[in-house]
Amino acid sequence: MLYRQRLLDLPHGELQTPVLFPVRNLGKRSSDNTPEYISSIPDLPTAMINVRAIRERDPMWDRLTNGVSLREEMEVPDDTIVYADSGGYDFSEKDPDTTPQETLETQRLLEADIFGTVDIPLSRENRSAENQRRIDRSIDLALEASTHHDGDELLLASVHGYDPETIRNGIRYLERRGEFDGYALGSLVPVRTDYEKVTKLVLAARTATDKHLHVYGLGGLVYQPLLLYLGVDSFDSSAFIRSAGNRNYLLPGFGGEELWNIDDLEYLPCPCPVCGSRTLDDIREDRDALVVHNLWALTTELRRFRYVASAGRDIEDYLDLRFQGNEVTQRAYRIAKQQVRRLT
Amino acid sequence: MSEAFDISDQAQDYNRFGLDGNPFPYSPVPAENPETYCGQEHATTTISSTVSKTLSTGKSKHLVITGKYGNGKSHTLKYTRSLLRDRDDIIVGYVAQPGEGFVDIYHEFMYDLGFAEVQNIAYEFLASVARDVTETNPVSGSAMRSLIDEGDVLLSEIVPEAIKRLSDITRFADFARAIIHMVYEDTNLYAWQWLTAEGIRYEQRKEMEIHTALDDDTMGVRAFTAFKNMLLELGYTAVFVFIDEFESIARLSSKDEQATLNSIRHLMDQNSEGLCLLFGCAPEVWQDVMSEYHAFSERIGQEVALRPLTNEHLYELVEEYLNRERATEESGIHPFTADGLDMILQRSQGNIRQVLSVCSRLLDAAAQAQRSEITAEFIEESI
Ligand SMILES: [Zn+2]
């Protein structure tokens, strides 16, 4: 059993893991248009932001450098736990236009609690020589960040690779040469439909280190239980926003459902504060309501898993049940189970 | 005879012969790593000289060992292999028979080396790169492996360089990628299947960025040559390929036979250094090859014929086997008597394989019968 719970002591408070970091689109548009969720979902005092996007957004950047705090800008309480990702995805076509030192300074200015190192993601389409170069470069950038970092914030080194050796080797190499509080696995989004590969990569990382392990980009409904089962400590997701944009209604056990397809229903099957008292028509028209519901769906998934573990029920039985409805995810879970059992 | 096969847990009592056990192999199949070799001095001299030439000069040299069935071709090849295996600067592969063409010989050769050995060679190659481009100094494949496992060396730093160098050395980029993929657990089985010419699906090849299929004689020669050149680059002195039962090419169609011989000829032409081919072949088939395929036979420097055992060799052979289990200072052929061995020689027509299995059975029979000597008379009764 790899599922684990820990308590992180961070500059803005304690955080119970495993936990989800909802991706905020701060900086991508004029401002963050993610609806208020931080105080309404008590166990989700978390947000993931993209350092590079914020820095690129002049008006906001001006405010932030002129004394407005990030949390004020986001209109969230002071004890919000912020994970500042370097924004590597924006570098996929070229080398990063920032240095580890500059990124660290920005992360510190934003008063983030968790820092992700600057990285260059891989692409499945790249020739392997090019991917090898990117892996190598991300490792160098992480080591550089380690040299410059000396605060209380967690520094998570970004690690990339499409095979278990590369992941294991990268983490151990960083472990030997730098000082990190944990590791964050990137570049999984392009291979997310290859569950077997993703499972192996996550397990390679989980077995290479006992430190905090974050997985970038796979915190949606399908992957969440898998990642929890594999002992991942944190993950992030933008699925709740993207889905809402497509009027996609996330429901644990069912995945996403386009609300346009449903019409003869008055109430939706979710007891969350959004759906519990509002009609389908009402929610369908309200993007923000959908966003919040979708976050509740992701939170519910996490709560259920915690409940099963805490009640001492058999997690594998729960997951057998949980995945039985969908052939693809069922197979993914079976693969994960085989691999986990081989380990324990 | 039936008594000899009365199997029980109880150890036979060989004390009466001054022996701790029965030294003769029960099985008529040559041992994988024979320890004893007897007779055939002319053959050992020729083999030694061929092998030593390759080892000392690095130049390729090839030899055919002819001999009738049972005269010890396989034994000779395997014995030579067991002697060579102790050296760590060479690679030896044994091919039990040539199959349908060169690609089968190549396949058998790689299989005889085995997955672990080839994987280790891949790590050795990475080690040679790591010594150049990193501060580490791995001296072996296993040292390299643990440097990677422990994170002392970054795979992504050495792999692109390794593929580049190996492509330069072998002029076969696909081969280079397959070798390097031997170190990745996700792909090493596919890499192995490709390297052994077993064939893999297009998607699996694509995953390793391998563009060609290794599935015919031409590609087999190319891959073998690439492999050998890589080994020479790593500091190995030579690669030895022992091809047994070469006479079985005679059952191929004449087109396939010619194609196989041509491929071997190409292999020899493309590897003037660091290659030693030893063939075991029935004399009549070798005669045909000699007369029909000059281009092939003229490239093989020498032929040596194994002869049936002589009386003298038989005594020597039996003594050597007995000495392995001697509990006493005694030597010689006891418990066999001279007339007993003469009869064994006569019955086996000097065929070493038969001699050994007969001796084994007779020794058990004598122990069972509580005899202290194995005489012609006893043999007459027992066989
Ligand atoms: Zn809801």
Side-chain angles (χ1 to χ4, degrees), chain A residues 249 270 272 275 293:
Chain A
Y249 183 80
C270 168
C272 86
C275 316
H293 155 80

Side-chain angles (χ1 to χ4, degrees), chain A residues 249-251 268-276 283 289 292-294 296-297:
Chain A
Y249 183 80
L250 300 182
L251 199 63
L268 286 161
C270 168
C272 86
V274 177
C275 316
I283 293 169
V292 175
H293 155 80
N294 282 344
W296 268 109

Side-chain angles (χ1 to χ4, degrees), chain B residues 106-181:
Chain B
Y106 168 78
H107 170 86
E108 287 293 316
F109 169 79
M110 294 300 277
Y111 247 83
D112 190 57
L113 294 193
F115 178 90
E117 173 82 27
V118 173
Q119 189 181 49
N120 190 52
I121 291 167
Y123 277 111
E124 272 183 45
F125 192 80
L126 286 183
S128 73
V129 174
R131 287 196 292 270
D132 286 352
V133 306
T134 73
E135 290 159 9
T136 61
N137 188 30
V139 293
S140 65
S142 59
M144 184 70 235
R145 186 181 209 145
S146 60
L147 286 182
I148 292 170
D149 284 350
E150 299 298 318
D152 291 303
V153 165
L154 198 55
L155 262 177
S156 54
E157 189 182 348
I158 56 173
V159 160
E161 178 64 17
I163 290 177
K164 189 175 155 292
R165 283 194 195 184
L166 195 49
S167 301
D168 288 347
I169 293 162
T170 59
R171 278 181 255 127
F172 194 176
D174 283 349
F175 177 86
R177 294 195 191 98
I179 286 287
I180 300 305
H181 271 280

